Amino acid sequence: MPMRVAIAQINPKLGDLQANMALYEAKIRQGGEAGADLLLFPELSLTGYFLRDSVPDVALTTRSPEMKKLKELSRALPFVAGLVEESADHRFFNAAVYFEDGEIRHLHRKVYLPTYGMFDEQRYFARGDRVRAFDSKFGRLAILICEDLWHTSTIYLAALDGARAVLCPSSSPLRGIVDGQAQDDNARYWEMINRTYAETFSLFMLYGNRSGFEDGVGFWGGSEIVDPFGQRLAKAKYYDEDFIVSEVALEAVRRKRTMSPLLRDEDIDLTINELMRIRERPATAVAVQKFKGSKVQGPRKPKKSRRGR
């Protein structure tokens, strides 16, 4: 039976948990009024993105009052929240949490932290160390956060782990207009990989980006829902706040995977073996080189004088 998925393309206030919590409540009500079954919020939308040294100030633990409030809100409508999570050992993670029926059902810590150009996440956040699909009342899902999806290994792992839909909270900024096009170059790339991943791995791509400006940086919006055949089911506005809803029939995943059984035919042992070989290759090469060098550079015998012959 199809479910109705909504994406809240919002413009959160930097560092203002209270204001953003109110925004969450408003969008959850809007989702309920629209008949949505599941709602996706953007990356770090409960805190704002360019937090820098204020990361510890907005971090939440599982015992935080805000977490308890989010659990309660999920009784009305399951949703994915983007927030800063503080672990028991006081590390801070760029996290996305799936709330359902008053409980935390899954927590994903961003595994790839961009630290180049305008990005400096690795300076303030710890890296996640796992990619897992999880069971929800709608079926098996996975969450990957923004930069995670720029590494094909993550979507590959999620698909092999049984995900029929991947939810991607994002805070993707404007990266410049090219070739005189009205569309941002970053947007064109995201739209390409969303369609490619959906078709290649026969799953739904639910991409939720934010909008607005923060610390002088703009975000292009353009959230979308793409089905396993690469067809776009819903598309949000570029640059502005928006709210989109679409029916998602996870049964379409079965139909596509029957027609194109690429995951069925995937040789996981081959992949594991080749990755092990590649991982060991640099260390082996260095060791061999050192060994050869030690033989060449070892103690040398004194040369005999020609006169002594």
Side-chain angles (χ1 to χ4, degrees):
M1 184 175 179
M3 63 174 179
R4 289 176 62 80
V5 176
I7 299 177
Q9 183 171 291
I10 59 176
N11 178 17
K13 293 185 178 180
L14 182 61
D16 194 335
L17 275 172
Q18 186 174 2
N20 295 329
M21 184 68 78
L23 186 55
Y24 264 49
E25 292 187 60
K27 294 303 177 182
I28 289 169
R29 284 196 301 270
Q30 184 177 352
E33 293 167 359
D37 300 304
L38 173 64
L39 175 59
L40 173 62
F41 285 100
E43 175 186 15
L44 293 176
S45 51
L46 197 63
T47 62
Y49 180 75
F50 288 107
L51 294 162
R52 298 189 173 88
D53 292 331
S54 63
V55 163
D57 301 331
V58 296
L60 303 179
T61 70
T62 55
R63 299 179 303 278
S64 298
E66 292 86 356
M67 281 290 203
K68 293 179 181 178
K69 178 64 175 178
L70 292 170
K71 287 180 182 180
E72 287 302 312
L73 290 172
S74 74
R75 294 188 185 279
L77 177 63
F79 61 90
V80 175
L83 51 84
V84 178
E85 179 233 351
E86 181 177 355
S87 63
D89 57 354
H90 308 299
R91 289 183 298 159
F92 303 99
F93 295 91
N94 180 337
V97 184
Y98 176 68
F99 294 89
E100 179 184 284
D101 296 336
E103 298 293 337
I104 294 174
R105 300 296 184 189
H106 182 70
L107 187 152
H108 174 71
R109 294 166 168 172
K110 191 173 183 179
V111 295
Y112 286 104
L113 304 176
T115 307
Y116 56 85
M118 69 178 72
F119 306 105
D120 54 4
E121 287 188 36
Q122 202 159 207
R123 181 177 177 184
Y124 303 101
F125 293 110
R127 291 181 59 170
D129 60 2
R130 63 197 61 189
V131 172
R132 303 282 168 82
F134 63 96
D135 292 319
S136 74
K137 64 183 180 181
F138 308 108
R140 197 152 174 83
L141 310 173
I143 297 173
L144 296 169
I145 303 174
C146 206
E147 184 90 0
D148 288 344
L149 270 176
W150 283 40
H151 298 262
T152 53
S153 58
T154 60
I155 186 74
Y156 177 70
L157 290 169
L160 288 178
D161 204 20
R164 295 199 288 168
V166 171
L167 297 90
C168 179
S170 179
S171 284
S172 180
L174 296 164
R175 294 291 290 272
I177 307 299
V178 296
D179 300 329
Q181 300 292 321
Q183 187 182 11
D184 178 71
D185 190 39
N186 220 14
R188 292 197 298 176
Y189 184 77
W190 266 111
E191 290 166 356
M192 177 196 65
I193 65 172
N194 286 337
R195 179 175 179 178
T196 300
Y197 286 162
E199 286 201 80
T200 301
F201 296 102
S202 300
L203 43 71
F204 285 90
M205 289 297 301
L206 313 177
Y207 176 73
N209 194 24
R210 63 162 292 181
S211 62
F213 282 82
E214 188 178 281
D215 200 24
V217 176
F219 298 88
W220 58 271
S223 303
E224 61 182 8
I225 301 172
V226 183
D227 76 8
F229 296 89
Q231 300 300 310
R232 182 181 291 160
L233 302 180
K235 182 68 176 178
K237 298 174 184 176
Y238 294 115
Y239 316 120
D240 297 324
E241 290 186 280
D242 203 357
F243 192 92
I244 60 174
V245 184
S246 177
E247 286 196 352
V248 169
L250 292 181
E251 293 79 10
V253 172
R254 179 180 183 273
R255 186 166 70 252
K256 174 63 187 304
R257 291 182 181 179
T258 300
M259 295 170 56
S260 181
L262 299 181
L263 286 176
R264 180 202 68 185
D265 298 340
E266 186 66 28
D267 190 336
I268 300 177
D269 289 331
L270 169 67
T271 302
I272 292 172
N273 291 339
E274 290 305 305
L275 287 174
M276 293 289 288
R277 176 185 63 82
I278 292 168
R279 186 181 69 175
E280 294 299 326
R281 186 176 59 194
T284 303
V286 170
V288 169
Q289 189 61 38
K290 286 183 177 179
F291 176 73
K292 288 181 177 179
S294 65
K295 292 178 68 175
V296 173
Q297 297 176 8
R300 297 181 180 180
K301 295 181 180 180
K303 292 182 179 180
K304 294 182 179 180
S305 171
R306 292 183 179 272
R307 295 180 182 179
R309 285 185 179 179

